[in-house]
Amino acid sequence: MKSKAELRKWVTELTANLERFNYEYYVCDAPTISDSEYDRQFHELRALEEEFPDLRLENSPTLRVGGQALDEFGKIKHRIPMLSLGNAFEEKDLFAFDDRMKKLLEADSGRELEYHVEVKFDGLSMSLTYEKGELVYAATRGDGETGENVTRNIQTIRSVPLRLRASGDKKLPSLIEVRGEVILPLKDFEKLNREQAERGGKIFANPRNAAAGSIRQLDRKITASRPLTAFWYGVGACEGCDFESIDEVQKRFSVWGLLTGQYRKVCKGPAEVMKFYRKIEKARESLPYEIDGIVVKLNRMRELDQAGFVSRAPRGMIAFKYPPRQETTVVEDIIVQVGRTGALTPVAILRPVKVGGVEVRRATLHNQDEIERKDVRVGDTVFIQRAGDVIPEVVSVVKEKRTGKEKPFSIPEWCEKHGIEFERKPGEAAYRAKNAGGELRKRRFEHFALKDAMNIDGLGEKIIEQLLDEKKITTFADLYRLKESDLLALEGFKNKSAQNLLASIAATRETELCRIIFGLGIRHVGERTSKVVANAFGAFPALLEARVEDFEAIHEIGPEVAKSLREYFGSSEGKREITELLAYVAAIPPRKAGGAGAFVDVTVVLTGTFPTLSRSDAAKLVEDAGGKVSASVSKKTTFVVAGAEAGSKLDKANDLGIEVIDETELLRRLGV
Ligand code: IVH
């Protein structure tokens, strides 16, 4: 039993470790430990805090999850108001801004002014207040003077430091208001809308609305489930700061662990700013988040102050916008796509139109409720919008252009016309194909063959279609019953290609459990969930027996996913599908800590850079062999694996007399 002092030290260490892991993962994008080790330490800290509440440190990382929902948000008055920006839309507006600044600052005619330029994030503006380095509040912009207290929700964003990282040379300010923007990356936005469409939730018009909607949740569990992040660019009130430039502010933010935009530059004069604007406009298509322009600011604080304000905007800053990516076009037809799980998604076929430089021919209509809400009909002229790589969507109908010839669309009618049996469960917005109609079955086979699922090389869309059409396959197990003569009977197959495909199929006769689970294409069950489920159950018989509660008891699995797992594994079709498949395929059980691995009871610390393995790969190998990876060296450490530039951990190992090995020796011990 540890003494209270030892426990306190342990809690402090765990708290610091976990915040460092968050920083490495979410800010630096360079994790140093595996997810499972993070989870382990997190649960250990939570258990300790529950047992000894007095040991909980202020701003513990366990604050980031759980807790009761609120009835309403409190109000917070900003110490310095959150202002807005003037706009520029064209090159000449930018040059006019530069002229104004030169006059105002009485700059010598030969001197170019120094501008700090960066992207304008299209999200929700936010102000964080840190006192002595600790996050004390987070507030929305509100009316600029007073915002809403969303501290508990901001705490769930893993890239937001709960405590600023102190750096050697400069002291942390006693108080600082940090200003920035909370955003939802485009990929996550798209995924969220897809999920919302399936369950009949609110569809968000753009990532900004989705970010705002996610923050303004009284139940922070909903916020926590949305992969939000934030970029920080400016300062409101500050006690104990003496920044000379915006550039210095942002560099200091990085030191403190606050995420700053990576696209920024200090430019001399408007011509350089113009170059940056054009460069970002090109890159805009491939940015992982939405931006709507660049922000140009006088870089020097003294000059910004001197420029003053005009109608609630700093005169020394300007937003230089990109043209909006909305256009009008005509809906020529509406079709329905059948998803892997049978979900029926209506899609508008458009008269081709260029939006932000890219030709758009289709746009999603999400579901029947959305079609009705927007009242979209075939023949309508509509506004469409595109955000980054996101599938374009129909925003609204230009009703003035109606001629009376437009035709309303309904999924049920479409299904009847195409002989597809459909259903709509209470509480769901999506119609679903009931019969495993051709399209649905094809999707399931395509998914089953994926590289990260069964990895059947050569089993592509076209071959699946042929095999289905010729009734050579109806179930997954049929794949394993295929004979060379079956394949040779199909168009385009030669001896060689037939043998290759049969060999690829045969190679999957032993496959890891998690890949099989993923391959089954269960609704809401992606690769990560499949791994978690495989680790928790270890084999199929246990899965077929599991109740919803058993699934829900697994960390990382929520009620909806649990329900979907149970619906599949508990159904007679699911049971039949698996039993039949297992006659041909052996499921390799996950290697678990405590199992028969070579590293059972071994605790390893990784430090430095290894010649061939990344740290996370090394950690995974150790864990797969049943070992534990720990972040710090202690008496419990079995050995330390040291790479180039190993630091204090190596010293500590030497002090404690713990064995130190290199990567080659690690691989030898792992038997790989
Ligand atoms: S500086 C006086 N920099 O744009 C406000 N703002 O349209 C100074 N925004 O309210 C803001 N990215 O929420 C600045 N890199 C950036 C920005 C940015 C997005 C937002 C901000 C502001 C709004 C003004």
Side-chain angles (χ1 to χ4, degrees):
M1 179 69 194
K2 281 191 174 141
S3 72
K4 203 64 187 269
E6 279 174 327
L7 283 173
R8 185 178 310 261
K9 193 161 157 256
W10 187 223
V11 166
T12 311
E13 206 167 301
L14 281 172
T15 304
N17 279 352
L18 287 165
E19 274 308 271
R20 198 184 73 239
F21 300 148
N22 267 324
Y23 168 73
E24 289 167 346
Y25 191 101
Y26 292 99
V27 180
C28 309
D29 202 9
T32 56
I33 57 157
S34 64
D35 294 357
S36 56
E37 176 59 18
Y38 180 90
D39 288 348
R40 197 191 59 71
Q41 295 199 22
F42 188 89
H43 288 117
E44 186 170 349
L45 178 61
R46 187 148 67 179
L48 281 168
E49 287 178 347
E50 268 165 24
E51 202 175 338
F52 308 102
D54 57 314
L55 291 186
R56 176 199 283 265
L57 295 175
E58 209 179 318
N59 269 331
S60 159
T62 56
L63 278 180
R64 293 193 187 271
V65 296
Q68 289 290 309
L70 296 178
D71 294 328
E72 60 175 350
F73 293 114
K75 295 268 182 275
I76 287 188
K77 189 164 172 10
H78 304 300
R79 283 167 194 254
I80 294 213
M82 292 177 78
L83 304 179
S84 55
L85 290 174
N87 287 323
F89 297 99
E90 294 175 53
E91 186 165 352
K92 71 173 181 358
D93 302 337
L94 174 73
F95 279 81
F97 165 73
D98 179 61
D99 279 344
R100 280 199 304 278
M101 292 304 111
K102 277 188 173 150
K103 281 207 188 86
L104 218 106
L105 301 173
E106 295 170 358
D108 302 341
S109 54
R111 177 170 83 95
E112 291 285 23
L113 291 175
E114 200 173 274
Y115 293 111
H116 180 281
V117 290
E118 71 174 319
V119 298
K120 185 169 183 303
F121 304 101
D122 198 8
L124 174 70
S125 26
M126 190 62 57
S127 178
L128 305 179
T129 305
Y130 286 91
E131 281 178 18
K132 297 200 192 76
E134 300 281 339
L135 176 66
V136 288
Y137 317 111
T140 60
R141 180 173 187 278
D143 62 5
E145 300 287 334
T146 307
E148 279 177 318
N149 181 349
V150 290
T151 316
R152 284 162 38 89
N153 296 23
I154 292 296
Q155 283 165 344
T156 67
I157 304 179
R158 301 298 171 117
S159 68
V160 173
L162 300 176
R163 170 182 310 181
L164 298 179
R165 298 166 69 82
S167 71
D169 54 334
K170 285 218 166 108
K171 277 222 306 239
L172 289 171
S174 52
L175 178 141
I176 183 166
E177 285 178 334
V178 171
R179 302 281 161 83
E181 204 87 356
V182 174
I183 58 140
L184 185 67
L186 285 165
K187 266 213 176 75
D188 300 304
F189 162 69
E190 204 179 335
K191 180 158 171 259
L192 176 64
N193 262 357
R194 252 190 337 256
E195 288 166 2
Q196 295 285 94
E198 275 208 18
R199 70 167 85 101
K202 181 178 161 49
I203 305 290
F204 297 102
N206 52 47
R208 174 166 30 87
N209 287 1
S214 303
I215 288 294
R216 296 197 68 265
Q217 288 286 342
L218 292 166
D219 182 354
R220 69 196 301 240
K221 288 202 197 88
I222 300 178
T223 315
S225 73
R226 310 259 166 96
L228 297 164
T229 188
F231 291 103
W232 307 100
Y233 43 71
V235 179
C238 191
E239 291 165 13
C241 308
D242 54 348
F243 296 116
E244 281 187 359
S245 65
I246 304 269
D247 188 44
E248 190 191 339
V249 167
Q250 297 200 353
K251 285 189 173 138
R252 178 85 2 207
F253 278 4
S254 295
V255 172
W256 287 339
L258 289 159
L259 196 57
T260 51
Q262 66 201 74
Y263 302 96
R264 56 184 215 236
K265 192 172 184 223
V266 177
C267 295
K268 287 230 182 318
E272 267 189 35
V273 173
M274 208 52 225
K275 258 198 205 152
F276 181 87
Y277 176 84
R278 294 211 175 95
K279 193 174 127 204
I280 297 296
E281 188 168 22
K282 280 208 194 98
R284 188 182 181 196
E285 284 311 310
S286 48
L287 291 187
Y289 43 80
E290 184 77 321
I291 61 167
D292 57 347
I294 62 168
V295 183
V296 184
K297 306 166 194 170
L298 285 169
N299 186 33
R300 307 236 165 101
M301 291 299 185
R302 200 173 36 79
E303 292 180 347
L304 266 178
D305 284 347
Q306 206 180 327
F309 301 91
V310 55
S311 61
R312 309 206 49 73
R315 208 193 298 256
M317 301 185 182
I318 199 160
F320 189 2
K321 297 283 193 71
Y322 292 119
R325 291 188 290 194
Q326 270 204 358
E327 275 307 329
T328 56
T329 187
V330 175
V331 176
E332 293 189 328
D333 196 3
I334 296 178
I335 60 158
V336 176
Q337 277 181 348
V338 187
R340 168 166 60 82
T341 58
L344 298 168
T345 307
V347 176
I349 304 295
L350 305 170
R351 180 172 301 161
V353 60
K354 279 210 163 168
V355 189
V358 174
E359 190 172 80
V360 170
R361 295 168 171 271
R362 342 172 115 207
T364 179
L365 290 162
H366 299 295
N367 57 40
Q368 184 69 32
D369 287 352
E370 282 290 295
I371 296 184
E372 282 163 24
R373 194 175 64 76
K374 292 177 185 159
D375 188 19
V376 183
R377 304 179 188 179
V378 176
D380 265 336
T381 299
V382 290
F383 272 110
I384 56 163
Q385 116 180 337
R386 200 171 62 85
D389 301 336
V390 176
I391 311 164
E393 66 165 358
V394 172
V395 183
S396 59
V397 174
V398 188
K399 295 254 165 81
E400 301 76 56
K401 295 245 172 157
R402 283 223 166 128
T403 61
K405 287 194 188 140
E406 296 75 15
K407 289 196 196 74
F409 180 85
S410 117
I411 294 186
E413 279 173 24
W414 184 90
C415 286
E416 272 152 30
K417 202 165 111 198
H418 290 80
I420 291 182
E421 250 187 275
F422 63 94
E423 62 179 351
R424 185 178 189 172
K425 294 203 177 132
E428 284 197 0
Y431 283 93
R432 234 164 254 293
K434 225 163 128 187
N435 53 357
E439 189 63 16
L440 170 56
R441 207 170 318 166
K442 197 173 95 194
R443 286 288 154 81
R444 288 202 74 209
F445 275 99
E446 276 170 39
H447 182 82
F448 188 73
L450 282 181
K451 196 158 181 300
D452 296 319
M454 298 300 282
N455 189 16
I456 307 180
D457 203 20
L459 188 63
E461 185 182 345
K462 192 144 172 285
I463 295 173
I464 294 174
E465 217 169 82
Q466 284 176 295
L467 289 168
L468 284 169
D469 285 351
E470 298 301 319
K471 306 243 169 352
K472 302 284 182 209
I473 53 171
T474 41
T475 67
F476 293 144
D478 288 338
L479 286 171
Y480 299 87
R481 289 191 273 253
L482 284 175
K483 292 189 294 294
E484 198 175 329
S485 55
D486 293 327
L487 295 179
L488 291 175
L490 301 177
E491 201 189 304
F493 264 100
K494 302 225 163 57
N495 285 0
K496 183 95 181 105
S497 47
Q499 279 161 14
N500 284 348
L501 181 56
L502 291 178
S504 312
I505 295 173
T508 67
R509 282 176 176 260
E510 273 187 33
T511 299
E512 287 151 316
L513 176 63
C514 58
R515 285 172 171 272
I516 307 180
I517 297 176
F518 180 48
L520 295 170
I522 305 165
R523 195 143 72 97
H524 302 311
V525 179
E527 218 187 317
R528 169 86 196 150
T529 307
S530 306
K531 272 203 186 119
V532 175
V533 171
N535 286 339
F537 288 89
F540 273 117
L543 272 166
L544 300 181
E545 298 299 310
R547 299 161 306 165
V548 175
E549 304 87 273
D550 301 326
F551 288 117
E552 268 193 71
I554 308 174
H555 176 58
E556 287 192 38
I557 293 198
E560 208 164 335
V561 179
K563 196 167 139 241
S564 177
L565 281 160
R566 166 69 196 163
E567 257 170 30
Y568 176 81
F569 288 114
S571 69
S572 52
E573 299 93 68
K575 285 188 180 10
R576 191 173 341 114
E577 184 161 70
I578 289 170
T579 320
E580 218 196 328
L581 185 62
L582 292 182
Y584 300 95
V585 178
I588 304 173
R591 278 189 280 172
K592 262 192 171 179
F599 274 31
V600 174
D601 289 333
V602 170
T603 302
V604 178
V605 172
L606 305 169
T607 179
T609 312
F610 305 130
T612 63
L613 292 174
S614 72
R615 281 242 219 135
S616 52
D617 287 346
K620 191 166 179 305
L621 287 173
V622 169
E623 285 172 359
D624 285 350
K628 267 207 299 201
V629 177
S630 168
S632 51
V633 180
S634 73
K635 271 185 264 170
K636 285 197 227 142
T637 309
T638 322
F639 56 80
V640 172
V641 188
E645 284 162 49
S648 60
K649 291 182 194 170
L650 181 57
D651 300 339
K652 187 149 182 211
N654 288 330
D655 286 349
L656 294 176
I658 286 165
E659 185 187 14
V660 177
I661 63 168
D662 64 4
E663 185 196 85
T664 317
E665 176 60 17
L666 173 73
L667 293 172
R668 196 192 63 73
R669 290 187 189 184
L670 285 164
V672 286

